[in-house]
Amino acid sequence: MANYILEMHNITKTFPGVKALDNVNFKVEEGEIHFLVGENGAGKSTLMKVLSGIYPTGDYTGQIKLKGEVVDFRKISDSENAGLAIINQELALVPEMTVFENIYLAHEIKKRNIINWNQTIHMADKQLKRVKLNVNPGNKVKDLNIGQQQLVEIAKALSKNVQILILDEPTAALNENDSENLLNLLVELKKEGVTCIMISHKLKEVTAIADSVTVLRDGLTISTLRKNEINEIKIIKDMVGRSIDNIFPERKPQVEDEIVLETKNLNAYNFAVSKQVVKNASIKLKKGEVVGLAGLMGAGRSELALSIFGNPKNYDMDGDVFVHGKKVHFNHPSQALKAGIAYVSEDRKNEGLILKQDVKQNISLTNLKLLAKNGVIDKNKEIVYAEKYRKEINIKTPSIEQTVENLSGGNQQKVSISKGLFANPDILILDEPTRGIDVGAKYEIYTLINQLIDHGMSIIMISSELPELLAMSDRLYVVAEGKITGELSKADATQENVMKLATV
Ligand SMILES: Nc1ncnc2c1ncn2[C@@H]1O[C@H](COP(=O)(O)OP(=O)(O)OP(=O)(O)O)[C@@H](O)[C@H]1O
Ligand SMILES: [Mg+2]
């Protein structure tokens, strides 16, 4: 008999207009690494929020058992006291506080009701060593990169003697190196007896370290696979309900000679971080071309894109940008939009979307002129366009009037892409367009890219997923420390060649 540390029975949770979980059953064995996978909007995050008390007892129906005992969590601290810790994709650290303050925030080490800072620092240091994070505990969290912050969150969980660690897409924003470190850490923690539940769209990491995988689809439990049954093809089939043989749809090369965008010796200095983020960058984009920007996290790819797009908040720039052969100087993204350039940000939460507004309002924003009649938005037209994108790229939402904040992560990303498309650009910059997107939807986005190219658009694509970048790009530039370190033709664009140039 399996030894289940956690059992969730017949969990049903509804939101207005959506049955997010429909009688879900989910069982996890003690000490295993159990992945939860499924398409965007399948209900993964919701299930974990039910488990951790973010949605309290009474907000859902069904039963949760820990080590055979029924539990009723009314708030997160209840589940924490029972040995659970959830690390959401939106990290919950306080950026202005130090690493050690964050680790012991809300469960301070006290002696006679006074915080014992020496002991706090000492203990924090111990937890940091456990997660192999080599930073000074006195550093502020805002000075750490995303991968390091993720590790601080785990250190915080460990400091509370966590027994079940829940991670919601922890590697979505990590580079390959940091992702690998994180996976290794989970394997280490398993040896110490920590049970881990992890949500991920990266099936490679699922097959690498999972002991079990549970697949959700449309709020239903489809299958639970044990170690010897786990393989990518089976997982994809259960996720999307059919098999996908070709992950990257074919595109006939369409590149024309006409250069639609060019930068010459572009430099950008970012005052906010006191650093030159773009150094002497000269790139070209031809009509009908997908040009990839490869490089490690922090190499300056997004900074280069932003410099082109005219988002010079904190930037001091020099060098030239030409659009259709004409020298331009954008001071504001609206000017770039007018000139036919749209940018879909990697940071959909902060730069891409207005979370409190609904789907249609978000999409409308990039092309109000198209919708306005005598300065007033034509509501009917707005609906028509929003519905068009909802259908075309399959945005899963009960209606286009849904607040974007309430959509699942991957569907927010789709709204962000729709915004870029609605601007009707002829040059589109896609920054990590498939981050947090499920395999089926990735295929839809690749297909969409191919269609846009067919219609004469030109695309700059930034992606940390090298296989995707290699498959989709006609040509690649590699960026390292703000510089273009090389240009690769499709034929020369191999993983190895890119990595050589990315690490110079
Ligand atoms: N607060 C909310 N209000 C209304 N609907 C919600 C809310 N949270 C989630 N939903 C809906 O519930 C469904 C499940 O969402 P959930 O976030 O659990 O998906 P997910 O599997 O985590 O997807 P992703 O891979 O995109 O993160 C979706 O249809 C989503 O739109
Ligand atoms: Mg989610």
Side-chain angles (χ1 to χ4, degrees):
M1 253 281 289
N3 181 16
Y4 292 116
I5 188 168
L6 166 74
E7 293 162 74
M8 298 180 82
H9 292 289
N10 302 99
I11 305 291
T12 295
K13 161 86 189 151
T14 53
F15 298 106
V18 189
K19 200 174 213 178
L21 300 172
D22 187 358
N23 266 306
V24 166
N25 289 300
F26 180 57
K27 291 198 251 179
V28 177
E29 288 182 33
E30 179 141 25
E32 70 168 345
I33 298 178
H34 197 126
F35 275 77
L36 190 55
V37 303
E39 291 182 302
N40 299 126
K44 305 176 296 291
S45 297
T46 304
L47 187 66
M48 291 303 103
K49 287 178 183 167
V50 164
L51 172 59
S52 54
I54 296 173
Y55 298 135
T57 302
D59 235 30
Y60 60 89
T61 58
Q63 191 183 55
I64 304 176
K65 282 184 178 174
L66 279 185
K67 296 182 174 164
E69 303 272 325
V70 176
V71 289
D72 282 316
F73 299 141
R74 285 162 215 284
K75 47 189 183 314
I76 299 195
S77 55
D78 290 351
S79 72
E80 284 180 353
N81 292 336
L84 268 75
I86 182 164
I87 299 178
N88 286 304
Q89 222 193 313
E90 301 76 41
L91 297 180
L93 300 171
V94 185
E96 287 297 332
M97 285 188 169
T98 62
V99 169
F100 69 80
E101 284 168 326
N102 266 288
I103 292 180
Y104 284 96
L105 185 66
H107 65 128
E108 289 80 5
I109 301 176
K110 290 183 186 166
K111 207 169 157 187
R112 280 186 236 109
N113 236 355
I114 295 171
I115 297 182
N116 183 339
W117 288 116
N118 284 337
Q119 183 67 4
T120 303
I121 294 171
H122 175 73
M123 292 301 288
D125 207 36
K126 250 171 116 171
Q127 301 302 350
L128 292 175
K129 289 213 170 69
R130 250 175 112 187
V131 301
K132 298 195 178 61
L133 177 58
N134 192 8
V135 300
N136 185 333
N139 283 358
K140 283 195 174 163
V141 160
K142 67 170 186 189
D143 295 328
L144 306 183
N145 68 33
I146 281 259
Q148 294 170 324
Q149 293 189 18
Q150 198 84 254
L151 292 175
V152 173
E153 283 253 27
I154 296 178
K156 184 178 170 81
L158 293 177
S159 74
K160 296 183 211 166
N161 290 323
V162 63
Q163 293 174 45
I164 304 180
L165 183 63
I166 305 163
L167 301 130
D168 194 346
E169 295 193 49
T171 59
L174 297 189
N175 64 30
E176 256 165 66
N177 223 336
D178 286 345
S179 299
E180 203 175 304
N181 288 341
L182 185 89
L183 299 186
N184 288 338
L185 173 63
L186 298 184
V187 173
E188 285 298 312
L189 292 176
K190 177 171 119 175
K191 288 184 194 146
E192 297 177 26
V194 177
T195 305
C196 178
I197 302 171
M198 173 152 159
I199 300 177
S200 177
H201 287 293
K202 297 185 178 173
L203 300 183
K204 290 268 176 305
E205 55 191 40
V206 178
T207 49
I209 66 162
D211 296 305
S212 306
V213 179
T214 291
V215 183
L216 296 185
R217 192 198 313 148
D218 288 332
L220 299 167
T221 324
I222 300 298
S223 58
T224 293
L225 310 174
R226 298 293 170 200
K227 186 118 196 147
N228 55 353
E229 307 164 301
I230 296 172
N231 69 70
E232 239 177 270
I233 294 170
K234 169 81 176 132
I235 296 173
I236 292 175
K237 190 150 181 268
D238 286 352
M239 273 175 72
V240 299
R242 62 189 157 87
S243 33
I244 297 181
D245 338 306
N246 192 355
I247 298 181
F248 302 106
E250 290 265 343
R251 179 177 73 244
K252 289 193 290 315
Q254 315 261 7
V255 185
E256 298 177 24
D257 287 337
E258 182 191 342
I259 293 170
V260 293
L261 176 80
E262 182 170 10
T263 70
K264 280 190 187 157
N265 306 326
L266 197 63
N267 287 294
Y269 186 88
N270 184 347
F271 286 110
V273 293
S274 311
K275 196 173 140 193
Q276 185 165 358
V277 286
V278 178
K279 296 175 189 160
N280 226 15
S282 299
I283 66 167
K284 285 181 188 150
L285 173 68
K286 292 178 181 167
K287 188 168 163 66
E289 188 176 37
V290 177
V291 162
L293 294 184
L296 303 177
M297 204 72 70
R301 295 163 304 168
S302 301
E303 288 78 359
L304 174 58
L306 284 170
S307 305
I308 294 170
F309 190 57
N311 192 348
K313 176 176 60 172
N314 305 319
Y315 278 27
D316 186 21
M317 293 196 296
D318 66 62
D320 296 323
V321 180
F322 299 87
V323 176
H324 297 294
K326 234 177 67 196
K327 195 163 155 175
V328 294
H329 188 82
F330 304 136
N331 288 315
H332 190 270
S334 62
Q335 295 169 339
L337 279 170
K338 230 189 212 152
I341 305 179
Y343 172 65
V344 177
S345 168
E346 63 173 331
D347 185 358
R348 60 176 178 251
K349 291 253 156 71
N350 292 316
E351 288 178 43
L353 298 170
I354 302 174
L355 294 174
K356 298 280 176 212
Q357 290 198 346
D358 69 20
V359 173
K360 68 172 165 23
Q361 289 164 324
N362 266 280
I363 296 175
S364 302
L365 262 184
T366 51
N367 201 346
L368 291 172
K369 230 172 73 199
L370 182 71
L371 299 174
K373 221 164 49 195
N374 307 326
V376 183
I377 302 270
D378 180 338
K379 294 279 176 206
N380 290 331
K381 232 175 171 180
E382 185 175 40
I383 291 169
V384 169
Y385 279 107
E387 285 292 354
K388 171 174 122 92
Y389 288 113
R390 176 188 177 187
K391 219 161 63 235
E392 264 176 22
I393 62 172
N394 206 358
I395 303 170
K396 199 171 163 202
T397 173
S399 86
I400 52 171
E401 262 95 42
Q402 177 72 297
T403 313
V404 164
E405 195 171 38
N406 290 340
L407 298 189
S408 78
N411 284 296
Q412 291 183 7
Q413 178 66 16
K414 292 184 185 179
V415 175
S416 184
I417 292 175
S418 306
K419 277 186 75 156
L421 293 178
F422 185 53
N424 196 21
D426 45 26
I427 298 166
L428 180 64
I429 307 175
L430 295 171
D431 198 347
E432 304 285 1
T434 65
R435 177 179 287 172
I437 291 223
D438 69 62
V439 273
K442 272 185 184 158
Y443 184 88
E444 286 160 19
I445 287 176
Y446 303 144
T447 306
L448 184 75
I449 288 175
N450 290 352
Q451 284 166 357
L452 296 172
I453 291 293
D454 281 343
H455 287 102
M457 208 185 270
S458 313
I459 294 176
I460 294 179
M461 179 170 178
I462 299 172
S463 169
S464 296
E465 283 193 42
L466 212 38
E468 150 182 304
L469 201 61
L470 296 178
M472 295 305 296
S473 305
D474 295 301
R475 196 160 53 88
L476 275 177
Y477 291 103
V478 185
V479 185
E481 292 173 9
K483 288 197 268 290
I484 306 284
T485 52
E487 179 186 342
L488 295 169
S489 67
K490 180 123 197 151
D492 292 334
T494 61
Q495 198 130 350
E496 208 191 345
N497 284 342
V498 171
M499 287 321 284
K500 262 191 228 151
L501 290 164
T503 49
V504 288

